Amino acid sequence: MNASLPNTEFDALLAPIHDFLHCATPDAWITEARKPERLAVLLVDHANCEMKAAMSAHSLVRRYCLPKDKRKLLPNLDFYKSLDALPEKGEVLGKQTLLGDNRRVFDELSKNDLLVKMVRLIQEELHHFEQVLEIMAARSVPYDILSASRYAKGLLAHVRTHEPAAIVDRLIIGAYIEARSCERFAQLAPWLDEELSRFYVSLLRSEARHYQDYLTLARDYAGKNIDDRVAFFGEQEAALIQAPDELFRFHSGVPV
């Protein structure tokens, strides 16, 4: 399983994930997920999750990094694929020449840590999305319409409606989603074929960093101790993961 990641690094990446999550993925979910007949659903929902992650980050940039009168100018997701450098190099945002209505839109963006981390996350999630699509195409798995699981909706139901509480909650939720994804990639990898196993292990570094980025941003936006709120969402997340679930998806609960 760890052919593409040294054991020491593998353990170091997963240790904080396991400490952060309030429960491990139930064995019953792993048993169901490793069945060959579940592979198509697993891949399609994985692709959907990568795109949703990019869209969620894009939404945060739009809502919290742009003035209301400039939000309509935010480039679509395809724009992020064209950025040649990662934002932390300090050369991308505000200096990219855009065409048409998007011209110089990044001049309007606040140069804050949310922007830097979310743009990098968008780039990576879109890349992962395309990688999953390539794997699906090679295996003749069609990208069919697939309903979403209750997981994200169940967490978002608890988001508070006033600021900065709302963004703090959304960032905490983002941390749990990324952490759970990382944990499930690691749990699934030993039971998959070599190609998929290597692919899932290759995703661990970015998913682990994404969870940490979200959690750091949540603490920064709150400006105070949020341990109780983090624990609250940890309990909600664990309840969703451990509860019986009729729908099998990448983030679903115990199969029934």
Side-chain angles (χ1 to χ4, degrees):
M1 169 185 172
N2 300 348
S4 59
L5 197 64
N7 285 336
T8 53
E9 184 180 356
F10 184 81
D11 293 339
L13 280 173
L14 291 179
I17 295 288
H18 293 154
D19 289 341
F20 181 61
L21 295 172
H22 286 222
C23 72
T25 290
D27 290 341
W29 187 89
I30 299 295
T31 299
E32 189 69 21
R34 58 187 286 197
K35 293 179 180 178
E37 61 267 29
R38 289 298 195 185
L39 183 60
V41 170
L42 199 66
L43 289 173
V44 172
D45 199 47
H46 180 186
N48 287 342
C49 288
E50 299 291 359
M51 179 55 70
K52 288 174 184 176
M55 292 173 66
S56 294
H58 184 259
S59 177
L60 287 172
V61 171
R62 180 180 182 275
R63 183 167 184 175
Y64 294 103
C65 297
L66 278 174
K68 283 187 177 181
D69 62 336
K70 300 295 183 181
R71 289 177 185 174
K72 65 181 181 180
L73 299 180
L74 188 66
N76 59 32
L77 288 177
D78 286 339
F79 169 77
Y80 297 95
K81 300 176 188 177
S82 70
L83 296 179
D84 294 327
L86 291 177
E88 67 264 30
K89 294 181 180 179
E91 295 292 331
V92 177
L93 302 175
K95 297 183 179 181
Q96 181 78 22
T97 300
L98 306 177
L99 301 176
D101 291 338
N102 291 335
R103 185 181 304 113
R104 307 298 299 174
V105 67
F106 278 112
D107 282 343
E108 304 291 343
L109 298 176
S110 303
K111 307 303 187 293
N112 58 37
D113 207 28
L114 175 69
L115 177 65
V116 170
K117 286 182 168 64
M118 290 302 100
V119 170
R120 176 170 181 170
L121 187 147
I122 290 168
Q123 289 179 299
E124 291 179 340
E125 302 291 20
L126 290 176
H127 178 58
H128 297 163
F129 171 73
E130 292 176 344
Q131 286 179 299
V132 179
L133 291 187
E134 289 176 2
I135 291 172
M136 289 168 56
R139 295 168 183 244
S140 299
V141 175
Y143 192 11
D144 291 332
I145 295 174
L146 196 64
S147 59
S149 71
R150 65 185 184 184
Y151 180 75
K153 187 176 181 180
L155 292 173
L156 290 169
H158 300 285
V159 172
R160 292 168 290 182
T161 57
H162 58 283
E163 298 292 359
I167 187 174
V168 170
D169 285 353
R170 289 181 180 277
L171 291 168
I172 294 172
I173 289 170
Y176 275 107
I177 292 174
E178 296 292 337
R180 179 61 64 186
S181 298
C182 187
E183 188 255 3
R184 288 208 161 168
F185 289 143
Q187 289 268 33
L188 270 176
W191 307 108
L192 301 174
D193 60 70
E194 184 175 355
E195 180 193 29
L196 280 177
S197 178
R198 287 182 176 275
F199 174 55
Y200 277 8
V201 169
S202 75
L203 298 178
L204 295 183
R205 289 190 188 91
S206 58
E207 300 299 322
R209 188 183 67 255
H210 293 169
Y211 119 79
Q212 292 170 339
D213 285 347
Y214 270 120
L215 195 58
T216 298
L217 287 167
R219 298 190 191 284
D220 289 346
Y221 267 87
K224 60 181 181 180
N225 189 295
I226 58 170
D227 289 350
D228 288 347
R229 197 64 182 166
V230 173
F232 168 79
F233 277 108
E235 294 166 0
Q236 303 306 313
E237 198 271 346
L240 288 164
I241 290 298
Q242 293 177 312
D245 202 337
E246 294 183 359
L247 196 67
F248 175 78
R249 296 291 185 266
F250 192 83
H251 290 103
S252 58
V254 178
V256 296

